[in-house]
Amino acid sequence: MPKISVKGHNMPESPIRKLVPYAEEAKKRGTRVYHLNIGQPDIKTPQVALEAVKNNSIEVLAYARSEGSETYRKKLASYYRRHDIDVSESDIIVTTGGSEALLFTLGSITDFGDQIIIPEPFYANYNGFSVANGIEVVPIESNIENGFALPPIEAFEEKITEKTKAILICNPGNPTGYLYSEEEIVKLKNLVLKHDLFLIADEVYREFVYDGIRHHSVMSQEGLENHAIMIDSVSKRYSMCGARIGCIVSKNPEVIQTALKYAQARLSSPTFALMASEAALETPQSYFDDVIHEYDERRKVLINALKEIKNVRVSSPKGAFYCIAELPVEDADDFAQWMLEKFEDEGETVMVAPASGFYSTPGSGKNQIRIAYVLNKESLLRSVELLRLALDQYPG
Amino acid sequence: MPKISVKGHNMPESPIRKLVPYAEEAKKRGTRVYHLNIGQPDIKTPQVALEAVKNNSIEVLAYARSEGSETYRKKLASYYRRHDIDVSESDIIVTTGGSEALLFTLGSITDFGDQIIIPEPFYANYNGFSVANGIEVVPIESNIENGFALPPIEAFEEKITEKTKAILICNPGNPTGYLYSEEEIVKLKNLVLKHDLFLIADEVYREFVYDGIRHHSVMSQEGLENHAIMIDSVSKRYSMCGARIGCIVSKNPEVIQTALKYAQARLSSPTFALMASEAALETPQSYFDDVIHEYDERRKVLINALKEIKNVRVSSPKGAFYCIAELPVEDADDFAQWMLEKFEDEGETVMVAPASGFYSTPGSGKNQIRIAYVLNKESLLRSVELLRLALDQYPG
């Protein structure tokens, strides 16, 4: 029997997916499972995006232009300019989701055996995209004590080798909810300029910032034009995760030209989703005001409720819709599985994402979980109550 | 300025794309350009697929299941069983186009520096996917003399090294239109079994076979269960290239489990396109009868007209909707560009794909072009007339 590759063998399983069979079993037993484990919002997709697809007059569902149509990229550039990001359509390659944007970026700037530095905990699939590209993730641990702020810049500098090609951040962060300050972005900027590295910022949660704090994009930093690469996506912004449209944005023409070759090799992004994404740019500000108000309320309700549980420590997220909670358990993987397998209260239980999958340092984050506040307030409160009851009863 | 990677540098440009700026210039001058260069059919997408999307009742455009829904995979399995391919839903991973299916396949079975053997000329993007995976394409030249039949099996065996992981074929072939006989498939089967290699078959043109000949899938070969991997796509079958839905099919459970990890890392295929693709399986047989009749007519018209041009040699395609023509020119790249830049007849010219981009042996196919018969008969006849006139006038 022919063998799969070492790379294929090393591809990580999704840390969330490992628990899915247990959740399915629980449901089969008739237990209601509250899903705090995934970043799939319950927020409605803007009507204008859905209508564009429903009212389409397509007769031949043809390939779209590999890099996205000029019209769509122009509209995207104008959206970015409204967010203090001064780019034009030629700085943008439209991709099939933020996932593909990151895959093309890594393919464009790294070779087999290269390294990228990422503050951990980080979005788990960065691991998968790195394995797929044959490169090594060098993690730098951030801490719940200061809400997962940027680790000291010296910690980054210590890890830079001749194989280091980029520093990758997620801002605001999944899974931490941390929003980097301009001061932190400037520290990273000075470091990448000094060592001539790329600074990749996954900014897909740009709109989701709270407490009146402003988001600072790597694309707004003067002098960083050739070094900054932004990853973006319509998934969270318009609650259209199933569209699979994202983009790479960079003022570095070589990066864009190289990413374009990757885009051409796969021919096209999905045409229906491109229609929805272009129309979504017409979403009225009131939609965002409502959505962000809703997330902000959920965030407060969730964090306050979590803080009331004895021996639970929780970070105070300033952006995105996740937080990390530290639990009084030794192994959150085991606890999360136990909640699905053995625990229920009045026929209900809760599913969380063990945070260990968001760390690449073995053993880190073992007592942490990620919670996505993508459910309504009532469900969130009930979920936290279930978590509290489960912690009381957990034998582990 | 930070550098792009060697891999990014080596990513090939699309051989078709290089000519696009010249075509755009020609159009700006008011010249009508007949496009024989791309595989974008003019055939209408089945109504049932388009209607499914128009009548959707989605409120939250959510992620789809990474490997495709069980329902869709069950329906796909039933479609395959009707084509003598005995698979179940667990043998299928739904992908974002045939492109992603190939990317996941190569990621699952090859490591950096590995080799795959491909008869050339071959679909140009196989090069891109190979570079993206850091692997080497080992070409084996097939010839226009015998219509691009399978080269002698000894030629394959000579090229097998310990780095060889797979043989990749496209059946029926893009760009050749060649349809492998069962005897040829069996030869490949015996070879991959002997050397324990994978046999990857890109069968996206399965339906498009002519002259009453049957298509033989690698998935229908007994004893090849662990070695055969099929790449498929809805793009050509239902003239929905812009959907971007395909799949990997294999009875080898390790291949499927590994491809699943790649699928999970990118979360989901596009949801609207999945709706269209699932509905497309309800397309009535009459649609295919009509479409195949239409392509068959075009094929005859095109081949006959090409054969009438002096010093032009053309293969007789038995499947897909391409043929390779050998022209009395030294450099078809130059000729194709010249037709766009310098030639016109009554305000019209024609765009073809130089075949050199479909070869990986340097210098091969220099006097060949690929023609896609995706235009109606009248346009095809006029295109061939333009080609004839251009050959008469070409100074090169």
Side-chain angles (χ1 to χ4, degrees), chain A residues 1-14 17 24 39-45 49-50 53-67 96 99 103 106-112 114 123 125 128-129 131-133 165 196-198 226-227 235-236 239-244 252-255 258 260-262 264-273 276, chain B residues 1-14 17 24 39-45 49-50 53-67 96 99 103 106-112 114 123 125 128-129 131-133 165 196-198 226-227 235-236 239-244 252-255 258 260-262 264-273 276:
Chain A
M1 185 158 145
K3 287 196 180 59
I4 60 157
S5 57
V6 174
K7 182 164 86 175
H9 192 263
N10 289 344
M11 269 298 284
E13 264 194 274
S14 157
R17 279 305 188 109
E24 281 171 3
Q40 171 57 60
D42 61 343
I43 303 285
K44 286 189 182 167
T45 307
L50 295 173
V53 172
K54 292 187 81 151
N55 300 331
N56 82 76
S57 54
I58 287 174
E59 293 196 327
V60 180
L61 186 62
Y63 288 121
R65 196 163 153 177
S66 298
E67 66 270 44
T96 306
S99 302
L103 208 56
L106 294 179
S108 298
I109 66 168
T110 67
D111 282 307
F112 182 78
D114 281 344
Y123 176 52
N125 288 323
F129 302 135
V131 171
N133 272 286
K165 290 299 154 72
D196 214 13
L197 306 176
F198 287 104
N226 281 323
H227 297 71
S235 292
K236 314 293 171 167
S239 192
M240 39 199 268
C241 297
R244 314 312 301 131
N252 181 319
E254 280 190 358
V255 168
T258 309
L260 174 60
K261 291 191 288 184
Y262 281 92
Q264 288 177 353
R266 64 78 167 117
L267 303 170
S268 165
S269 285
T271 296
F272 284 128
Chain B
M1 186 155 145
K3 286 196 179 60
I4 61 157
S5 57
V6 175
K7 182 164 86 176
H9 190 263
N10 289 345
M11 270 297 285
E13 264 193 275
S14 157
R17 279 302 188 111
E24 281 170 4
Q40 171 58 59
D42 62 342
I43 303 285
K44 285 190 183 168
T45 307
L50 296 173
V53 172
K54 293 188 82 152
N55 300 332
N56 83 77
S57 56
I58 287 175
E59 293 196 327
V60 180
L61 186 61
Y63 289 121
R65 196 163 155 177
S66 298
E67 66 270 43
T96 306
S99 302
L103 209 55
L106 295 179
S108 297
I109 66 167
T110 67
D111 283 305
F112 181 79
D114 280 346
Y123 176 52
N125 288 322
F129 302 134
V131 171
N133 273 286
K165 290 299 153 71
D196 214 13
L197 306 175
F198 287 104
N226 281 321
H227 298 72
S235 292
K236 314 293 172 169
S239 192
M240 40 198 269
C241 297
R244 314 312 301 131
N252 181 319
E254 281 190 357
V255 167
T258 309
L260 174 60
K261 294 191 285 182
Y262 281 92
Q264 289 178 352
R266 62 77 166 117
L267 304 169
S268 165
S269 284
T271 296
F272 284 129

Side-chain angles (χ1 to χ4, degrees), chain B residues 7 11 102-103 106 110 114 116 118 122 125-137 168:
Chain B
K7 182 164 86 176
M11 270 297 285
L102 193 60
L103 209 55
L106 295 179
T110 67
D114 280 346
I116 56 170
I118 318 181
F122 55 80
N125 288 322
Y126 294 163
N127 274 322
F129 302 134
S130 300
V131 171
N133 273 286
I135 63 171
E136 190 190 341
V137 170
L168 167 59

Side-chain angles (χ1 to χ4, degrees), chain A residues 137-274:
Chain A
V137 169
V138 176
I140 306 215
E141 196 158 343
S142 64
N143 290 295
I144 197 167
E145 283 80 8
N146 59 4
F148 300 101
L150 192 75
I153 204 73
E154 297 74 27
F156 285 85
E157 193 150 25
E158 275 169 21
K159 297 285 189 183
I160 294 173
T161 71
E162 59 183 17
K163 288 185 171 279
T164 310
K165 290 299 154 72
I167 295 171
L168 166 60
I169 58 170
C170 183
N171 185 29
N174 172 9
T176 64
Y178 188 76
L179 181 68
Y180 291 110
S181 67
E182 186 164 23
E183 196 191 340
E184 288 171 318
I185 300 290
V186 169
K187 278 183 188 168
L188 288 168
K189 165 183 156 175
N190 292 335
L191 187 69
V192 299
L193 288 178
K194 180 174 168 192
H195 293 275
D196 214 13
L197 306 176
F198 287 104
L199 179 57
I200 310 168
D202 176 344
E203 300 186 359
V204 305
Y205 298 97
R206 179 179 307 108
E207 269 80 3
F208 305 106
V209 296
Y210 314 109
D211 302 335
I213 311 180
R214 263 192 61 203
H215 176 261
H216 295 281
S217 172
V218 295
M219 296 301 296
S220 308
Q221 287 294 320
E222 264 184 59
L224 204 55
E225 289 77 6
N226 281 323
H227 297 71
I229 303 174
M230 180 170 76
I231 304 298
D232 210 346
S233 162
V234 303
S235 292
K236 314 293 171 167
R237 182 166 309 137
Y238 308 109
S239 192
M240 39 199 268
C241 297
R244 314 312 301 131
I245 296 297
C247 62
I248 300 174
V249 186
S250 178
K251 305 286 278 183
N252 181 319
E254 280 190 358
V255 168
I256 292 298
Q257 282 153 25
T258 309
L260 174 60
K261 291 191 288 184
Y262 281 92
Q264 288 177 353
R266 64 78 167 117
L267 303 170
S268 165
S269 285
T271 296
F272 284 128
L274 286 165

